[in-house]
Amino acid sequence: MPVFKTPFNGYSVRFSPFYESRLAVATAQNFGILGNGRVHVIDLSPNAPIINELIAYDTADGVYDVAWSESHDSVLVAATADGSIKVYDTALPPHSNPLRSLKEHVREVHGLDYNPTRRDSFLSASWDDSVKLWTLDRPASLRTFREHAYCVYSVAWNPKHADVFASASGDCTVRIWDVREPGSTMIIPGHENEILSCDWNKYDECLIASASVDKSIKIWDVRNYRVPVSVLNGHGYAVRKIKFSPHRRNLIVSCSYDMTVCLWDFMIEDALVGRYDHHTEFAVGVDLSVLVDGLMASTGWDELVYVWQQGMDPRAA
């Protein structure tokens, strides 16, 4: 399976929603503590297990997340450590990029998510405890959501309801929001420790997952969230990112500071159905392809990006 070496530490990887062989990778120098960043746009070779770099964009600060536009196949947004969001268009020459820099957050931007239903807007999550709503045709955010008492690490749009999203925070809660409402519509006190990631199930719009420093992943039904539907234990350290499968209702993938990527079926008793230990440093980015069933990608602080088919060894040539 192909591997791509990045000069900096990997932070996030995302498959393109338009091209099955294309991915974007967010990286940061010196483990994201201090230094530059780089966004890589990479392509899988159709004939060989090789990854080619299409283009790379350098930033003055670390890049913590990337998200592809759902309406323009060449546009992506990047979350940076200086609090700005960079907008890039791979169809334009390098000197025309970034198209713009959206600067409102006063601390690091840690998470991004593009609206898959409406396709014209995206969310940013920041260490300034807020979430902001943006469209690319406006220089200022449409709205700021402030309720969390600590860093917001992750945001996720509901796949069925275009106005509903969730945010995960270091204040140990997941909040559910509707952009038409003045405040959050639900607060899930999900974990005893910081919540680093959240994601909605792609087949049941009432199911949401949360991942925490407490090493667990919990699946919640928003219609009755006092008790989780499922608790997934198996990681040895904090769970950094989770993603529900776009192809299978009960599958969820996770990556952790224990350096592993895990695959879970949350509806069966022995929920851990796959464990991949290919990374040699913190595994902090993971994604599943919307276009190719079972195609996975991960990145980590070992400066490597792996792309592989579920069930295969990521390190196999």
Side-chain angles (χ1 to χ4, degrees):
M1 296 287 106
V3 182
F4 180 75
K5 174 77 170 70
T6 59
F8 301 153
N9 306 107
Y11 258 85
S12 175
V13 59
R14 298 277 188 111
F15 283 98
S16 163
F18 293 97
Y19 303 108
E20 61 184 45
S21 62
R22 185 160 296 172
L23 303 93
V25 185
T27 70
Q29 199 174 19
N30 302 316
F31 308 100
I33 298 161
L34 188 69
N36 307 127
R38 186 173 292 172
V39 176
H40 300 267
V41 179
I42 57 178
D43 279 333
L44 304 173
S45 172
N47 305 317
I50 298 168
I51 296 177
N52 301 306
E53 183 175 83
L54 181 72
I55 197 161
Y57 302 110
D58 288 322
T59 57
D61 299 89
V63 185
Y64 293 152
D65 200 10
V66 282
W68 289 98
S69 166
E70 293 280 350
S71 56
H72 299 89
D73 63 356
S74 59
V75 172
L76 66 157
V77 290
T80 63
D82 70 352
S84 70
I85 300 153
K86 310 292 187 195
V87 183
Y88 298 101
D89 188 339
T90 62
L92 295 177
H95 62 80
S96 301
N97 279 291
L99 282 181
R100 67 192 65 142
S101 180
L102 307 171
K103 180 77 166 78
E104 287 186 19
H105 287 294
V106 294
R107 288 200 63 198
E108 292 88 335
V109 183
H110 198 262
L112 296 166
D113 198 37
Y114 231 97
N115 192 318
T117 327
R118 194 161 278 142
R119 300 185 175 183
D120 64 344
S121 55
F122 66 92
L123 294 163
S124 59
S126 171
W127 291 2
D128 67 10
D129 311 350
S130 76
V131 174
K132 287 178 181 284
L133 174 65
W134 309 83
T135 57
L136 288 183
D137 58 355
R138 298 196 191 190
S141 63
L142 301 182
R143 188 169 161 200
T144 302
F145 303 86
R146 294 186 199 280
E147 276 186 29
H148 282 294
Y150 196 57
C151 301
V152 188
Y153 295 115
S154 171
V155 274
W157 287 104
N158 186 288
K160 300 274 171 62
H161 301 286
D163 294 304
V164 176
F165 71 90
S167 57
S169 168
D171 66 9
C172 309
T173 69
V174 170
R175 286 174 190 257
I176 314 297
W177 309 78
D178 186 317
V179 297
R180 298 164 297 187
E181 301 292 334
S184 65
T185 57
M186 191 179 301
I187 303 170
I188 303 173
H191 298 260
E192 296 291 315
N193 297 88
E194 291 190 72
I195 302 175
L196 302 181
S197 184
C198 62
D199 196 33
W200 293 93
N201 189 284
K202 306 303 179 259
Y203 292 87
D204 185 338
E205 70 268 28
C206 294
L207 291 182
I208 188 168
S210 59
S212 171
V213 171
D214 68 12
K215 305 183 274 192
S216 75
I217 301 158
K218 294 182 181 180
I219 317 293
W220 308 89
D221 188 323
V222 296
R223 292 164 298 194
N224 179 17
Y225 58 89
R226 284 168 184 80
V227 180
V229 173
S230 180
V231 179
L232 308 176
N233 290 304
H235 278 298
Y237 289 101
V239 185
R240 178 56 184 269
K241 197 164 282 186
I242 47 173
K243 279 276 183 172
F244 272 108
S245 167
H247 298 280
R248 298 170 196 274
R249 179 191 181 274
N250 299 343
L251 273 190
I252 189 168
V253 67
S254 60
C255 64
S256 165
Y257 290 151
D258 67 9
M259 303 189 275
T260 69
V261 173
C262 286
L263 196 64
W264 314 80
D265 182 332
F266 66 88
M267 291 301 286
I268 62 175
E269 190 175 346
D270 295 326
L272 182 61
V273 293
R275 186 194 293 270
Y276 303 93
D277 59 357
H278 49 288
H279 284 290
T280 56
E281 262 289 356
F282 290 172
V284 296
V286 71
D287 199 20
L288 296 168
S289 170
V290 175
L291 302 177
V292 182
D293 188 2
L295 192 63
M296 309 169 68
S298 67
T299 190
W301 284 10
D302 55 8
E303 304 175 355
L304 294 171
V305 180
Y306 289 86
V307 183
W308 75 100
Q309 192 67 30
Q310 180 190 323
M312 304 286 284
D313 182 348
R315 288 165 297 204

